[in-house]
Amino acid sequence: MKNILKILLITLLIISCKTEKSNTAIAEVSQETLGKHIEVLASDDFQGRMPFTEGGAKTTIYLEQEFKKLGLQPGNGDSYFQDVPMVEIDGTPSKKMKISGNNQKFDLDLLEDFVVTTSKTDAEVSLENSELVFAGFGIVAPEYNWDDYAGIDWKGKTAVVLVNDPGFQSGDKTLFKGDEMTYYGRWTYKFEEAARQGAAGILIIHDTKPASYGWNVVQSGWSGAHLTLESDTPKTDVAGWISNETATKLFESSGIKNKNFNELAKNNDFKAISFGLNASVKIINKIKRDQSKNVVALLPGTTQKDEYIIYSAHWDHLGVGRSINNDSIYNGAVDNASGTAALLAIAEAFKNSPQQKRSIVLLAVTAEEQGLLGSAYYSEHPIYEPKKTVANINMDAFNSPGPMKDLTITGFGHSEMDEYGKVKTVAR
Ligand SMILES: [Zn+2]
């Protein structure tokens, strides 16, 4: 990814250069500048750049200072900052999920059989005898004529869904995108869609192959406190995962005739089916609120100055943690002092070049390591109109090994930027 970004970056510099003044060379991105800023940002003084810490605050102040020194304008009205309100939710789920119905009663064990979390900030959230309904892949995709939620009032119910999307291992490239996972296949989408449908809960059935990670990853990744954005978007009370064995047990205890749940939902004529079982589980929350900052600067363009190219990089890293060889500071020189330094070096190069037609925005976002929260906040509260934003070039862990001949595009087919990458690949 990082190589492409670098190539895209070079491409854009070349494109902008050509369209502006073909006889005036654009200034080079200075390696020295890159090195200088990486050294500062990754120094022990910055304490691993964790949001909500002194090191985090130091980082945003440093970026503001450097943008000012370069003579860039504040990117958010008269400020270089965009406040990002966040909330830390530390939820403790009950040790058991109680299942009843179809003349049966049994308990599922936390971590062993299920994990649950919540994005709600209430002191306590719960499912109380919530009807479990199998909702296939949990996908509503009109462009594929697909709706796993159709025909059911989801209020109070819990959707149980499969990971990935119907295209995976279908052998059919026209079914969604075949083996290439669409956004519909991601857990984030599944949680969001269940919430939009008004469901009380959502449980994803884990499966190692289509998920591409084991149950142990779910166990460790979905325990403990998590940071999220304060937002009004709909949320289910409870969201989580169940193991494949647990799903098998639910199907066996259910009134659903076809127990082969992996095959059940592969056609668009699939209709959601009730298990005839109800689930109860509770989460007690500890809530903490704070805000961090995105740092944003502007270099106005000339003839197309109301069109924007955003260069972005997350400034945060992991802070101070478990000590390794008596060193507890996670300096994050590569991830992502390098990308952040690149923002400053690119800004400097633009500053030393003929003024661009389009405006350049430098955006250093916060809390990427907590789930891309700074970027999510920016996209929900864009400072520059999305339809006027021509491109966003993000740099996460800038290419440290040096020039490359080969590259692969992660997420190929999801952006018009692929085309620019191609042009450059051929030209090199
Ligand atoms: Zn990163």
Side-chain angles (χ1 to χ4, degrees):
M1 189 64 170
K2 47 201 173 188
N3 307 336
I4 305 155
L5 291 172
K6 191 170 186 185
I7 286 165
L8 284 176
L9 167 79
I10 296 161
T11 313
L12 274 189
L13 291 174
I14 289 166
I15 289 167
S16 350
C17 177
K18 269 192 191 147
T19 49
E20 181 59 21
K21 277 182 190 168
S22 53
N23 57 348
T24 318
I26 193 148
E28 265 189 33
V29 173
S30 155
Q31 232 177 66
E32 198 190 323
T33 302
L34 265 174
K36 184 181 76 184
H37 293 304
I38 292 173
E39 210 174 316
V40 176
L41 291 163
S43 66
D44 281 357
D45 212 28
F46 281 65
Q47 297 281 302
R49 305 183 306 282
M50 181 74 172
F52 307 140
T53 65
E54 211 177 297
K58 244 183 194 169
T59 310
T60 55
I61 291 166
Y62 180 78
L63 289 171
E64 181 192 35
Q65 268 171 8
E66 294 302 313
F67 282 143
K68 273 186 188 164
K69 265 192 221 164
L70 284 167
L72 303 191
Q73 295 181 10
N76 188 16
D78 56 4
S79 171
Y80 290 89
F81 298 123
Q82 178 182 44
D83 288 335
V84 182
M86 287 188 251
V87 51
E88 185 189 81
I89 304 173
D90 190 358
T92 308
S94 42
K95 296 265 176 281
K96 308 273 182 195
M97 185 186 289
K98 296 192 175 302
I99 307 290
S100 63
N102 213 18
N103 295 321
Q104 294 172 73
K105 246 184 190 168
F106 56 93
D107 290 347
L108 302 176
D109 292 320
L110 181 65
L111 291 180
E112 188 60 32
D113 303 324
F114 75 95
V115 294
V116 280
T117 177
T118 185
S119 293
K120 288 200 169 173
T121 51
D122 308 63
E124 187 184 312
V125 296
S126 61
L127 297 177
E128 277 166 59
N129 283 317
S130 171
E131 183 183 344
L132 295 175
V133 180
F134 180 57
F137 289 91
I139 292 174
V140 180
E143 70 275 37
Y144 296 110
N145 191 22
W146 201 281
D147 188 349
D148 288 326
Y149 282 96
I152 288 189
D153 174 9
W154 285 91
K155 196 164 179 277
K157 297 188 174 69
T158 293
V160 179
V161 304
L162 299 165
V163 283
N164 215 314
D165 65 43
F168 184 73
Q169 289 194 332
S170 65
D172 180 357
K173 279 190 179 154
T174 64
L175 186 59
F176 287 71
K177 289 192 171 176
D179 282 347
E180 185 191 322
M181 186 162 65
T182 61
Y183 185 63
Y184 296 115
R186 298 189 53 157
W187 62 262
T188 43
Y189 165 78
K190 292 172 196 285
F191 284 7
E192 288 158 10
E193 190 56 53
R196 274 192 291 272
Q197 297 292 330
I202 167 139
L203 296 169
I204 301 176
I205 301 170
H206 175 261
D207 194 2
T208 302
K209 227 179 185 177
S212 79
Y213 43 81
W215 179 246
N216 60 328
V217 174
V218 176
Q219 286 173 318
S220 58
W222 292 90
S223 311
H226 67 277
L227 268 177
T228 179
L229 293 177
E230 294 268 28
S231 84
D232 308 329
T233 51
K235 297 171 180 86
T236 57
D237 293 312
V238 170
W241 293 74
I242 54 175
S243 69
N244 213 268
E245 293 74 21
T246 305
T248 304
K249 192 170 174 184
L250 289 178
F251 272 89
E252 274 164 8
S253 316
S254 76
I256 300 173
K257 285 203 183 69
N258 185 348
K259 312 286 185 201
N260 188 1
F261 53 88
N262 285 313
E263 298 302 318
L264 260 177
K266 286 204 160 156
N267 293 308
N268 63 358
D269 57 2
F270 165 80
K271 295 263 174 306
I273 346 167
S274 175
F275 283 85
L277 301 170
N278 300 321
S280 300
V281 71
K282 192 191 279 182
I283 304 175
I284 310 279
N285 278 333
K286 266 194 286 190
I287 303 294
K288 224 162 64 187
R289 292 187 159 81
D290 211 335
Q291 50 187 329
S292 185
K293 287 173 168 32
N294 289 336
V295 191
V296 53
L298 174 71
L299 198 58
T302 54
T303 51
Q304 283 161 261
K305 67 165 179 279
D306 64 340
E307 292 181 18
Y308 304 91
I309 294 175
I310 301 182
Y311 288 88
S312 61
H314 73 88
W315 60 255
D316 64 300
H317 193 59
L318 302 171
V320 177
R322 191 169 60 86
S323 170
I324 297 167
N325 297 333
N326 288 324
D327 183 0
S328 59
I329 299 172
Y330 288 64
N331 301 77
V334 175
D335 186 7
N336 191 25
S338 65
T340 311
L343 281 183
L344 295 170
I346 289 165
E348 180 187 66
F350 274 123
K351 211 47 204 178
N352 294 336
S353 304
Q355 204 179 353
Q356 303 299 302
K357 277 206 287 196
R358 293 191 173 109
S359 295
I360 306 290
V361 175
L362 291 310
L363 175 64
V365 290
T366 182
E368 188 269 356
E369 306 287 2
Q370 319 290 330
L372 302 121
L373 299 182
S375 314
Y377 188 82
Y378 181 89
S379 34
E380 281 171 27
H381 306 87
I383 298 169
Y384 301 95
E385 260 188 277
K387 66 169 190 244
K388 295 274 185 185
T389 303
V390 181
N392 173 205
I393 299 164
N394 185 62
M395 293 162 291
D396 197 353
F398 214 57
N399 178 22
S400 54
M404 304 271 163
K405 278 188 188 154
D406 301 320
L407 62 94
T408 53
I409 296 182
T410 307
F412 185 82
H414 292 275
S415 158
E416 294 159 20
M417 298 285 283
D418 297 344
E419 292 307 311
Y420 293 97
K422 260 189 223 161
V423 170
K424 186 58 200 168
T425 316
V426 173
R428 267 172 90 90

